[in-house]
Amino acid sequence: MKKTRYIWSNKIKRAYSQQAKELKKNVILDAAQDLLNSGDFPLPSVNQIIKQAGMAKGTVYLYFSSREEIYLSLLMNYFTEFEHEVLQKLDGIKEQEVSQVLVDAYLQFAKQSPKAVYLACIAPLILENNLSAQFICQLKTHIRNLTLQILQKISDVSNEDNIETLRIKFLLSYNLFLASWQHCHPAQSVLNVLRNEGLENILYDFEKEFSRGFHAIWQGI
């Protein structure tokens, strides 16, 4: 995910303007992203993020109440970039190309941002627990709005007026993407056991089988 870098002193002055507040939030999210991309699992702690960002703990908690909020906010940024990429890829294509364009966008996302896919996989059962109703509403509204933008573009390209039909197909294919990726990308320790014990055949070719399942879902679009 592309980032805008800002230079901050060790003692960051209190942000009063909305713009300054957004800059501080970006510094925190950039720090979380750097740690996420360079480290192993489990997810880096708030203290690690604080150290990476060069901020006081109290400053970080002005913007995020928990580690979960930080990573879900980061995930929203990843989703926003994914939406921009999909809309660009759908621009000016033919109706019969929609399914392949979407498949390619998902596979590119998996290659370029595997940690983002990991966050998406653990979001429903782990990261979304113990959040405020306000943050959950913000998160789900953001995801819904991004989805509707993509669905409207697909509708325009495919001449499919039934947005509800497109919505179900999109959600099914998204769930297929997460489930397939998670199954085919076990932890390295698990993968080592599978290899050593000759159990690798419980896995399958992620790109091949996801593409086949995706096209089956979008058949007729």
Side-chain angles (χ1 to χ4, degrees):
M1 184 174 68
K2 298 178 181 178
K3 297 181 293 186
T4 303
R5 290 297 184 184
Y6 308 98
I7 300 176
W8 297 89
S9 64
N10 288 333
K11 293 183 179 180
I12 300 176
K13 294 182 179 180
R14 194 173 185 84
Y16 291 101
S17 70
Q18 186 59 37
Q19 182 180 15
K21 290 179 181 179
E22 288 302 317
L23 292 181
K24 280 195 174 182
K25 288 182 69 174
N26 287 337
V27 170
I28 297 167
L29 293 177
D30 282 358
Q33 184 184 345
D34 287 341
L35 290 169
L36 186 66
N37 289 337
S38 63
D40 296 323
F41 303 116
L43 295 177
S45 67
V46 173
N47 286 336
Q48 288 175 292
I49 296 171
I50 289 169
K51 182 177 179 180
Q52 181 75 12
M55 292 184 180
K57 180 178 291 188
T59 301
V60 172
Y61 280 111
L62 284 175
Y63 300 99
F64 303 97
S65 64
S66 64
R67 183 180 70 161
E68 287 73 20
E69 282 196 8
I70 294 174
Y71 286 113
L72 286 171
S73 296
L74 184 59
L75 182 59
M76 283 194 278
N77 287 349
Y78 279 116
F79 282 162
T80 299
E81 290 199 359
F82 175 75
E83 180 238 8
H84 291 333
E85 291 289 333
V86 170
L87 293 181
Q88 289 180 357
K89 291 177 182 296
L90 288 172
D91 193 33
I93 69 169
K94 298 178 182 178
E95 180 179 356
Q96 60 270 27
E97 298 173 325
V98 171
S99 181
Q100 188 59 51
V101 164
L102 293 174
V103 166
D104 291 343
Y106 273 111
L107 293 179
Q108 180 181 338
F109 183 58
K111 288 180 180 179
Q112 293 183 347
S113 306
K115 297 295 180 70
V117 183
Y118 171 76
L119 289 179
C121 287
I122 67 173
L125 294 178
I126 299 176
L127 296 180
E128 293 180 13
N129 285 325
N130 301 318
L131 296 174
S132 67
Q134 179 182 5
F135 188 87
I136 291 174
C137 184
Q138 177 187 355
L139 171 70
K140 298 303 182 180
T141 299
H142 182 80
I143 293 173
R144 181 198 62 186
N145 291 342
L146 294 180
T147 302
L148 289 176
Q149 290 289 331
I150 294 174
L151 296 182
Q152 187 57 60
K153 187 69 173 182
I154 295 173
S155 176
D156 294 341
V157 173
S158 66
N159 296 315
E160 171 59 67
D161 295 330
N162 193 332
I163 295 294
E164 180 62 15
T165 296
L166 295 177
R167 184 182 70 85
I168 296 301
K169 289 180 179 292
F170 188 83
L171 292 176
L172 286 172
S173 53
Y174 173 71
N175 290 331
L176 173 66
F177 170 70
L178 294 186
S180 298
W181 186 90
Q182 190 171 24
H183 177 81
C184 295
H185 295 81
Q188 187 60 50
S189 59
V190 175
L191 185 58
N192 291 339
V193 171
L194 296 180
R195 289 171 176 170
N196 293 336
E197 300 299 328
L199 297 171
E200 288 180 281
N201 61 355
I202 70 170
L203 304 178
Y204 52 80
D205 186 311
F206 166 68
E207 292 190 9
K208 177 182 177 181
E209 298 306 329
F210 167 69
S211 297
R212 180 158 54 182
F214 191 100
H215 288 305
I217 292 172
W218 287 88
Q219 188 173 10
I221 299 294

